[in-house]
Structures are given as C-alpha cells and as structure tokens.
Amino acid sequence: MLPVVAIVGRPNVGKSTIFNRLIGERLSITDDQPGVTRDRIYAKAEWLGHEFNLIDTGGIEIKDAPFLLEIRQQAELAIDESDLVVMIADGRSSLTAEDQLVARILQKSKKPIILAINKVDSEKYIDNSYEYYSLGLGTPIAISSLHGIGIGDLLDKIVEELPVKEDKISKDALKFSLIGRPNVGKSSLANTILGEERVIVSDIEGTTRDSIDTIFKRDGKEYAVIDTAGIRKRGKVIENAEKYSVMRAMKAIDRSDVCLIILDGDTGIREQDKKIAGYAKEANKAIIIVVNKWDLVEKHDKIIKEWGAKIRAHFQFISYAPIVFVSALTRKRMHTVFEAIEKVYQNYKKRFKTHVINDIISDALSMNPTPDFHGGRLNIYYTTQGSAEPPTFILFVNDPEYAHFSYLRYLENTLRDSFDFEGTPIKFILRKRN
C-alpha cells in the first residue's frame, strides 16, 4: 500500500511546478493565473527507493471567485485522502489570510504536515520564511521549484515523515479489486461474489466511504476482494463524484493482482471509465473488463458482438483484457468472472525458459528487422525474463535510444501470438550491453 501525499496551499504559490518537480515530468498545467489547477491530479513519485502517490490540488482562498468553492472542496478532499500534507507558501510575499486559512484547515485534519516556502531562490528572500513560523506548522523548508533548490531536502523530509503502510491481506490470497466510476455496481458485485451482504449496497453514489477488503475462500483457494469506495458528501455541497473516485481506485489498484474494470451496461461507457482503466494499465496489473447490469440491456442476436466492438474501440490500450457480461442483481453469468480471474492471474504469473524466449525474439527479428531510428539501428543480442507479475522481459541491446515504440509493440504482439497472455500486460526493459 503506497502512502499518499497531498500538496496544498493558496493559489499561485507554485504547487503545480513543485508537483512536476517531484514526479519528474510536466503533468500539471502551470500558469501565473490563480485557479488554473481546478482538478486534483495524481501521479506516483519516488525518492531513494521510497514510492508514494502524490496529489496536486487547486488553491484554497477566502475570496468569492469563480470555481473557488470547487477548488477549496477538492483541496479538502485531497487532504482527507492523504497520509501526509505538504503546505506550500510564497517566499516572495508576506503571510496572508489565505495562508492562515490553509494552516487552520490542515491543523484540523490532524495529518502530519510539512511546510515548504517556495520561490526562495536568492538570499534576500530567506528572511521572509521566518514569518511563517507563526503558523505553528514547524520549521519551514526553503525551496525554489523553478530552479530545483531545496527539492532534495523536501523529498528527504517527505520520506522521513511517510507512514509505514501494512497490508493485512495474506500473501497467498489472490487479490482482485473492483474499480470504476461511482454507481456502476461495484458494491453489488462484491456482495454477489461473497454471497452475503457484507458491503452496504445503495443506488446513492458515495455510500461506501472507505475501501473495504473482504477475504474469502472458494474451492479451497483464498481470495481478497477490494471494493473501492464511493465519495462522502460534505455538507450541502454537491460534488462531481466521478472526479473524486480516482484516488481510491489508485489505492485499490496498487494492492491488487487483478483489476476488474466495472462498466455500467445501462448508462454505457464514459470518459472516466477509460481514465480509471488507464491507471490500472500504468500500474502493470492484470485486467478484466466487466460489463455489469447486463439485465438492463435490451438483447438481440448481435448485442454481445456490438458491445465487444464498442469496448475495443474505446479501450484500445488494453486490447488484451477479456470482456465478461454479468448482472449482480440477477446473479447471471457470475461464474464467468471467476473463470476470467483465474485465467488472467495464471497468465500474469507466467515464466518461460530463456532459450524459448530467445528463439521467439530471433525469429521475430528475422521476419521483420529493426528499423533505423534516432540515428542508428537497434541490435538485440539477448533476451531473458526478469520477473513475473507482470511478465517482464529484459532485452540486452546496443543502444536503447534506437528502439522505436512500434517495434517493441511488434515484439509484444509476437509474444502474444506465441503464448496465451490474455488479461496481462507485457513489460520490456532495455539494457545497454557493455
């Protein structure tokens, strides 16, 4: 279980630039206009072997500005989701009422807090950081996100303060998660799988507050089903629940062997479905696409074929994932879920002898030689399987820079044609041979 770190602060203090620095890429939009980051953005960060999930948030501000309520709401939800909070302040300006508001919100959360003063890129701004001691959040860390000054110190402090997350599920249990946007029937599916009402089921989005793990046995084998939470309603504020389901889905994905992407057969495919599936793919987990509420779909001879074609068109990036159609309400076709879980998990764990993989890669090179790319041509000298879960293959090459993504896709398709890898991603690692 990866810990979660939220970056919060009033608008225009450099939160998104810091976020990009910590994850090593420009994922958040950065702009001098306050309020640009309206949605929370999530990514995985790593420092000195320690991984954690990072949340970028919109700013918290007192003024009644457009989107202000939504921005503040998202920041508070991010704080609620996190294990550790990094508050960002502006070292080029004096302490503001908005900074004090952020500090009060954080102190009420009872979460560990790190205070970082941004934009301190010269000696004349260092004295400004002393004013922030009055917030009562401990010793501030002076940084400059623009120039990278103090970022290592900030990461050191984050790693030092990160809580140790323990997963209480047995290592022998096959862990699968039910992920998807709210109200697609995740809890109903969990109940049907378990055969008892151990999870609250409701048509109201946001009924399930926290991720619920249930361990059970089937045919003598131990499983753990991870039901991802919905969204808690805060007071009278109406939330767009689809935006806030992502973090809990990511938490469940991190802990799973197999991810079941739940689609709603009644309402169809939404953009959020693809976003959540994308997180499962990026995490290199085995994937099954489950169309729930199949009892509500008007049937005809070609309905499964039509739905299959539509899913493949929308989810081209996980074309290897099997599709099953079920109804949690009527319990029809539920046996296909476990058949799929067992199959993709076995594929996820597959291992092969080195000579077998080398023979297949050699044949692929003979059939379709590598193209010129980046001023050279890729030579693959040797291939071995480095690990499983997912199947990971190490290619020893002359220069990884010469590898075109389309050729690696060709090698992946060749392996899929040779073996049954349904439901599992295939990962390549290219290493330069000395």
Side-chain angles (χ1 to χ4, degrees), residues 227-242:
D227 177 28
T228 52
I231 306 304
R232 180 174 61 185
K233 301 296 181 184
R234 286 178 174 268
K236 297 180 180 179
V237 177
I238 298 174
E239 301 166 5
N240 180 351
E242 292 188 1

Side-chain angles (χ1 to χ4, degrees), residues 401-427:
E401 291 293 319
Y402 297 156
H404 195 278
F405 74 90
S406 64
Y407 197 81
L408 295 179
R409 186 185 299 157
Y410 161 68
L411 294 180
E412 177 182 340
N413 291 335
T414 300
L415 287 171
R416 291 189 183 278
D417 289 341
S418 303
F419 304 105
D420 183 3
F421 282 117
E422 184 180 28
T424 183
I426 294 174
K427 185 178 178 181

Side-chain angles (χ1 to χ4, degrees), residues 182-294:
N183 213 31
V184 295
K186 300 187 294 295
S187 293
S188 297
L189 274 169
N191 290 338
T192 303
I193 287 169
L194 294 167
E196 56 181 306
E197 296 293 322
R198 294 183 66 174
V199 182
I200 298 170
V201 180
S202 172
D203 290 333
I204 301 173
E205 294 181 359
T207 298
T208 312
R209 174 63 187 94
D210 296 307
S211 181
I212 298 173
D213 304 340
T214 307
I215 300 170
F216 66 100
K217 286 189 176 182
R218 184 176 186 272
D219 297 331
K221 186 170 184 177
E222 191 173 62
Y223 296 86
V225 56
I226 304 169
D227 177 28
T228 52
I231 306 304
R232 180 174 61 185
K233 301 296 181 184
R234 286 178 174 268
K236 297 180 180 179
V237 177
I238 298 174
E239 301 166 5
N240 180 351
E242 292 188 1
K243 290 181 181 178
Y244 307 135
S245 60
V246 178
M247 194 67 233
R248 291 189 179 105
M250 287 181 67
K251 287 181 179 179
I253 288 166
D254 282 338
R255 302 170 53 224
S256 303
D257 301 308
V258 180
C259 295
L260 277 59
I261 313 296
I262 313 300
L263 306 182
D264 189 327
D266 188 33
T267 61
I269 299 168
R270 303 273 182 86
E271 193 63 30
Q272 185 73 0
D273 297 322
K274 292 188 281 185
K275 181 182 291 188
I276 291 172
Y279 282 113
K281 175 180 170 56
E282 289 170 11
N284 287 311
K285 301 296 183 176
I287 298 174
I288 301 166
I289 297 174
V290 179
V291 182
N292 191 26
K293 305 183 185 180
W294 195 239

Side-chain angles (χ1 to χ4, degrees), residues 332-345:
K332 287 186 177 179
R333 302 176 60 87
M334 287 300 298
H335 66 282
T336 62
V337 174
F338 273 99
E339 290 170 1
I341 289 172
E342 282 296 332
K343 182 175 183 180
V344 304
Y345 184 58

Side-chain angles (χ1 to χ4, degrees), residues 368-385:
N368 183 13
T370 58
D372 289 330
F373 183 62
H374 276 171
R377 175 169 289 189
L378 184 72
N379 290 327
I380 301 175
Y381 303 116
Y382 184 75
T383 306
T384 187
Q385 184 172 359

Side-chain angles (χ1 to χ4, degrees), residues 309-379:
K310 184 163 56 175
I311 289 171
R312 294 304 180 203
H314 282 282
F315 296 88
Q316 295 180 25
F317 57 95
I318 49 170
S319 58
Y320 52 83
I323 306 169
V324 296
F325 303 87
V326 302
S327 169
L329 181 64
T330 65
R331 300 177 180 262
K332 287 186 177 179
R333 302 176 60 87
M334 287 300 298
H335 66 282
T336 62
V337 174
F338 273 99
E339 290 170 1
I341 289 172
E342 282 296 332
K343 182 175 183 180
V344 304
Y345 184 58
Q346 293 306 315
N347 291 342
Y348 190 58
K349 298 192 301 178
K350 276 184 175 176
R351 288 184 175 272
F352 299 90
K353 293 184 178 179
T354 298
H355 73 87
V356 174
I357 299 300
N358 273 292
D359 288 346
I360 292 170
I361 298 298
S362 295
D363 289 345
L365 289 166
S366 300
M367 294 285 291
N368 183 13
T370 58
D372 289 330
F373 183 62
H374 276 171
R377 175 169 289 189
L378 184 72
N379 290 327

Side-chain angles (χ1 to χ4, degrees), residues 89-90 93-95 99 115 117 128-136:
D90 187 342
S93 66
S94 298
L95 183 68
D99 293 320
L115 176 60
I117 312 302
N128 290 355
S129 63
Y130 299 138
E131 185 179 5
Y132 289 90
Y133 275 94
S134 65
L135 293 176

